[in-house]
Amino acid sequence: MTVRSGASRANRVDELVLLTHRALRREFRQVDGLLVGVALPIMLMCAMVGVFGRAVDTGTTLTYVDYVTPAVMLLCAGYGAAMAGVGITEDRSLGLTQRFKVLPIAGWGIPASHVVAAVLRNVLATGLAVVVALVLGFRPDADLVDWLLVLAVVVGYVVTIAWWSVVWGLLVHSVQAAGALSFIVLFLPYVSSAFVPVESLPGFLQGFAEHQPITPLVESLRGLLLDAPVAEGTGWTVVAWLVGGCVVAVPLATVLFRQ
């Protein structure tokens, strides 16, 4: 029984690797998507720092490039992760999902492969955003442990958004509708402490900004990268949002895929 179980786990890993390789190959063949993935971090960093850098009062001792870099990291990572559902919707429209269902592979294999591909792709995009920020004057005050924690937060965010994107992609019936989730993910950072302090937002938006996931995520990244003050319990709030999101989305995506 132990040998069979070990062999089964090894087969599942092999399946996930092959399916992830397939998802990545398809994405790399889409030149427009690659251009967006490369151009978005560069354009966002240059626009935020160049246009708003001298106009926004951060309310802290941080320069605006330091203040905004964690936000751009999350925005780029989230936008790319929100496109994970497009691939699975395209598979359904082409009839490939029906073919996969009759194969002896795990029900979570196809959705998980899109999520893993999103993680690999968007970690690179986030790294590009950091490189551009360094060129523009970003000066982090983080050691190796801090950078590893930053990577964990970014990966956790990408995984959570990608799983919800897969859920959305399994619910809608067109590739265009599947891509609509990316606009919601792009909008959320603007109603948080990502680009301006929460106190500078209109009163009716401050409550929303303080209780949505982007604010604690950005504050955690600022604390890790820049040794900025962070409210007590922010780290646990981040863990609760990310773990809770995955706990709901993963089984939901698996059930929707099987149906």
Side-chain angles (χ1 to χ4, degrees), residues 208-258:
F208 176 79
E210 290 173 351
H211 296 91
Q212 62 127 317
I214 300 299
T215 293
L217 282 165
V218 170
E219 296 296 335
S220 294
L221 291 182
R222 288 197 185 109
L224 292 169
L225 290 171
L226 302 161
D227 198 22
V230 179
E232 185 178 355
T234 299
W236 290 112
T237 304
V238 169
V239 172
W241 273 110
L242 298 182
V243 173
C246 288
V247 166
V248 176
V250 173
L252 183 58
T254 303
V255 170
L256 289 173
F257 181 79
R258 287 175 177 170

Side-chain angles (χ1 to χ4, degrees), residues 149-175:
L149 290 174
V150 167
L151 179 62
V153 171
V154 172
V155 170
Y157 180 62
V158 171
V159 169
T160 304
I161 296 297
W163 273 112
W164 278 107
S165 177
V166 168
V167 170
W168 177 251
L170 291 168
L171 289 172
V172 300
H173 300 287
S174 69
V175 175

Side-chain angles (χ1 to χ4, degrees), residues 16 21 36 41 60 62 87 90 98-100 115 121 143 148 156 165 170 178-180 192 200 203 212 225 230:
L16 181 58
H21 184 242
V36 171
T60 67
L62 299 177
E90 188 175 17
Q98 287 74 12
R99 295 187 180 185
F100 283 130
V115 173
R121 181 182 68 251
D143 56 24
L148 291 176
S165 177
L170 291 168
S192 72
S200 66
Q212 62 127 317
L225 290 171
V230 179

Side-chain angles (χ1 to χ4, degrees), residues 49-60:
V49 177
V51 176
F52 302 110
R54 297 182 180 179
V56 176
D57 180 9
T58 65
T60 67

Side-chain angles (χ1 to χ4, degrees), residues 33-224:
L34 284 176
L35 290 176
V36 171
V38 172
L40 185 64
I42 298 174
M43 294 173 61
L44 278 174
M45 281 305 310
C46 292
M48 290 299 171
V49 177
V51 176
F52 302 110
R54 297 182 180 179
V56 176
D57 180 9
T58 65
T60 67
T61 59
L62 299 177
T63 62
Y64 193 66
V65 64
D66 289 337
Y67 186 86
V68 81
T69 295
V72 175
M73 291 168 61
L74 284 181
L75 195 149
C76 293
Y79 173 79
M83 299 300 289
V86 173
I88 203 163
T89 304
E90 188 175 17
D91 284 344
R92 290 173 60 203
S93 64
L94 295 174
L96 294 176
T97 301
Q98 287 74 12
R99 295 187 180 185
F100 283 130
K101 285 181 178 179
V102 300
L103 296 176
I105 60 177
W108 52 264
I110 299 298
S113 68
H114 289 279
V115 173
V116 175
V119 170
L120 296 176
R121 181 182 68 251
N122 291 293
V123 166
L124 293 176
T126 305
L128 179 58
V130 174
V131 171
V132 176
L134 290 171
V135 173
L136 294 175
F138 175 57
R139 296 296 179 263
D141 183 22
D143 56 24
L144 178 59
V145 175
D146 291 331
W147 279 107
L148 291 176
L149 290 174
V150 167
L151 179 62
V153 171
V154 172
V155 170
Y157 180 62
V158 171
V159 169
T160 304
I161 296 297
W163 273 112
W164 278 107
S165 177
V166 168
V167 170
W168 177 251
L170 291 168
L171 289 172
V172 300
H173 300 287
S174 69
V175 175
Q176 292 79 7
L181 183 66
S182 62
F183 292 100
I184 299 175
V185 175
L186 277 176
F187 173 75
L188 280 178
Y190 291 95
V191 194
S192 72
S193 64
F195 300 113
V196 295
V198 172
E199 295 77 14
S200 66
L201 294 172
F204 67 95
L205 288 178
Q206 290 184 17
F208 176 79
E210 290 173 351
H211 296 91
Q212 62 127 317
I214 300 299
T215 293
L217 282 165
V218 170
E219 296 296 335
S220 294
L221 291 182
R222 288 197 185 109
L224 292 169

